[in-house]
Amino acid sequence: MAGRLVTALGSSALAAEAFSDAATLRHMLRFEAVLARAAAAAGLIPAKFAPIIAKACDPALYDPASLAEAARRTATLTVPLVKALTAEVAKRDAEAAAYVHWGATSQDVLDTAMVLQVGEAMPPILQDLDGIVAAFAALAKKHRATPTLGRTLLQPATPLALGQKIAGWASDIDRATRRLRASFTESQVVQFGGASGSLSALGPRAGQVMTTLAKHLGLALPPAPWFAQRVRVAALAQDAALVVGALGKAARDISLMMQVEVGEASEPSGPGRGGSSTMPHKRNPVGAALILAAAQRAPMLAATIVSAMPQEHERALGGWQAEWPTLAALIEALGSAVQAMAEVAPGLAIDADAMQANMDATDGAVLAERATFLLAEKMGKQKAGALIEKALSKGGSFIAALGQLESELSDEAALLGYSPDFVDRLLADLKRK
């Protein structure tokens, strides 16, 4: 795994910690400790050995570097870890060592550890997403009727309420977050099937063991092992990528609005924030940069997981092994994007005067569509269109060149059309969720 300096722009600290070596060992060893207790409770192993095994499940006792090296020789991290755990238990009680990893298989440990890591990383991410939606909703309400240029194909279009643009960000982020919350909940299930999914090694007590295991890990118990049924993992990956994409849409708009030639918005400032290594005057959109960097990576990471879904029989060769590091990178990218936007959204500054100046700079040309329809009511659309084209060709003030409709075209309420109502509808929809 790359060091923190390499991944500094690609992960939040909390997400990185959830997938750190320490966290990986903690969750894998937690599975082994709980399994020993569950097997003992079911009478499958002597009760006195469960606490001995559990005591040896201390992550500090194991060396991640040597385990990683050994894992490449077995294509699974579980094998060297169980071997090291067995040796550690044997130091305490040679007889107890025979009951380590009772009835489980490598994928049981790794899939459950992955689920637990996601369970550690996701709650603060979801909480921050709710805060981002709330911040954008409040800003949209404030700017319910603030006129701004609409822009299509990166060129000035008809005006709309700034609140509609911002409420649109909030709406899509909220929609993606709801999907992510659902797929996250669905992912929080234990994996326990033994050698090939039958738990035959546990005999008639398999049900008791798996129920106890799930309960003490704080996970749901699925109807059956999901060794090669990976929709849960793929759905989580897809929904994580959708959230990053929705955040990326807002970040793209904000970065464009921050261009000095536009000057309509700015990220919050702070010591050292947005600085350049060589140009002291710069105030870069650093939050947007981090979010857009994540948005570049997330779709391909999600695609890798989806492409791994056709897995062979009861355990995959390659497909399953591709998921864990990919999902870790994806959740870290998600965490980075969310953390960045959680800083930007509450402090986003809007310059309404700059928005008005940018509209004024078009010399009224952005009112041409409205003028066309006002004239069309009197003379038909064809004649109206000809008059509009003639006025636009003269250059300068469009309204002056048109020579009519000045009062109608300067009516701000009519200028925004239904846009403020769309703000209301979007915000009302957020409240219903």
Side-chain angles (χ1 to χ4, degrees):
M1 182 177 292
R4 286 297 304 277
L5 293 178
V6 172
T7 60
L9 303 185
S11 179
S12 66
L14 285 176
E17 174 55 33
F19 291 94
S20 66
D21 288 345
T24 299
L25 286 174
R26 182 173 72 251
H27 291 305
M28 291 180 71
L29 290 166
R30 182 184 171 199
F31 177 94
E32 295 292 352
V34 173
L35 175 61
R37 293 192 181 100
L44 289 169
I45 71 173
K48 63 180 181 179
F49 294 146
I52 297 173
I53 295 171
K55 192 171 183 180
C57 291
D58 178 356
L61 298 172
Y62 304 92
D63 175 38
S66 62
L67 291 171
E69 183 179 355
R72 291 192 59 81
R73 294 194 291 272
T74 59
T76 174
L77 179 58
T78 307
V79 172
L81 181 62
V82 169
K83 183 178 179 181
L85 173 60
T86 301
E88 194 63 42
V89 172
K91 294 177 185 178
R92 294 163 169 76
D93 189 307
E95 193 178 352
Y99 296 96
V100 170
H101 195 61
W102 193 262
T105 193
S106 293
Q107 194 172 354
D108 290 329
V109 184
L110 293 180
D111 273 349
T112 301
M114 179 179 72
V115 164
L116 291 169
Q117 286 177 303
V118 171
E120 182 178 330
M122 199 62 70
I125 288 174
L126 292 169
Q127 184 175 357
D128 279 348
L129 282 166
D130 289 340
I132 290 166
V133 171
F136 279 146
L139 194 60
K141 183 177 181 180
K142 179 179 178 181
H143 292 283
R144 176 185 181 275
T146 301
T148 190
L149 271 178
R151 294 179 173 93
T152 61
L153 305 184
L154 291 177
Q155 300 300 308
T158 54
L160 75 160
L162 175 65
Q164 184 177 346
K165 180 189 289 284
I166 298 172
W169 301 341
S171 177
D172 244 19
I173 294 168
D174 178 68
R175 184 173 295 105
T177 299
R178 285 186 278 114
R179 291 173 60 103
L180 179 61
R181 183 173 278 111
S183 58
F184 164 60
T185 299
E186 195 172 49
S187 77
Q188 294 300 285
V189 294
V190 71
Q191 176 74 280
F192 190 53
S196 65
S198 66
L199 286 176
S200 57
L202 302 185
R205 298 176 187 176
Q208 181 182 346
V209 175
M210 66 183 187
T211 301
T212 303
L213 181 67
K215 177 181 178 181
H216 289 284
L217 289 173
L219 299 173
L221 180 64
W226 42 282
F227 287 143
Q229 286 75 47
R230 311 305 285 184
V231 166
R232 290 183 182 88
V233 181
L236 179 68
Q238 286 185 307
D239 292 337
L242 286 177
V243 169
V244 177
L247 293 170
K249 157 59 181 169
R252 183 75 75 192
D253 283 353
I254 290 167
S255 65
L256 292 171
M257 293 166 74
M258 275 188 69
Q259 289 182 291
V260 68
E261 299 87 349
V262 179
E264 295 176 348
S266 57
E267 291 186 1
S269 60
R273 184 181 176 91
S276 164
S277 63
T278 186
M279 294 173 281
H281 70 281
K282 292 197 73 178
R283 184 175 168 191
N284 294 317
V286 292
L290 293 173
I291 296 161
L292 291 169
Q296 290 286 320
R297 299 172 60 219
M300 299 306 108
L301 292 167
T304 296
I305 292 174
V306 174
S307 69
M309 287 181 67
Q311 300 192 3
E312 304 84 8
H313 300 302
E314 280 60 59
R315 182 160 300 112
L317 181 69
W320 158 57
Q321 292 84 351
E323 290 175 345
W324 198 12
T326 306
L327 187 64
L330 177 55
I331 299 301
E332 289 187 28
L334 170 66
S336 177
V338 169
Q339 183 184 62
M341 190 59 88
E343 295 176 1
V344 170
L348 186 65
I350 300 298
D351 190 334
D353 291 338
M355 290 180 180
Q356 185 62 53
N358 289 332
M359 284 191 291
D360 293 343
T362 70
D363 286 322
V366 294
L367 305 176
E369 183 208 38
R370 182 159 173 255
T372 299
F373 281 91
L374 287 171
L375 289 172
E377 292 176 2
K378 304 174 183 178
M379 62 184 69
K381 196 171 182 182
Q382 189 172 4
K383 288 183 179 180
L387 280 177
I388 297 299
E389 288 294 333
K390 183 178 179 180
L392 288 170
S393 68
K394 292 179 181 180
S397 169
F398 167 70
I399 297 177
L402 188 62
Q404 54 184 303
L405 302 178
E406 183 173 352
S407 61
E408 293 94 329
L409 294 177
S410 60
D411 181 352
E412 187 172 287
L415 175 72
L416 292 178
Y418 202 77
S419 191
D421 297 277
F422 280 131
V423 178
D424 297 339
R425 288 165 63 92
L426 285 164
L427 296 182
D429 190 56
L430 286 176
K431 289 179 182 178
R432 283 196 292 267
K433 301 300 190 298

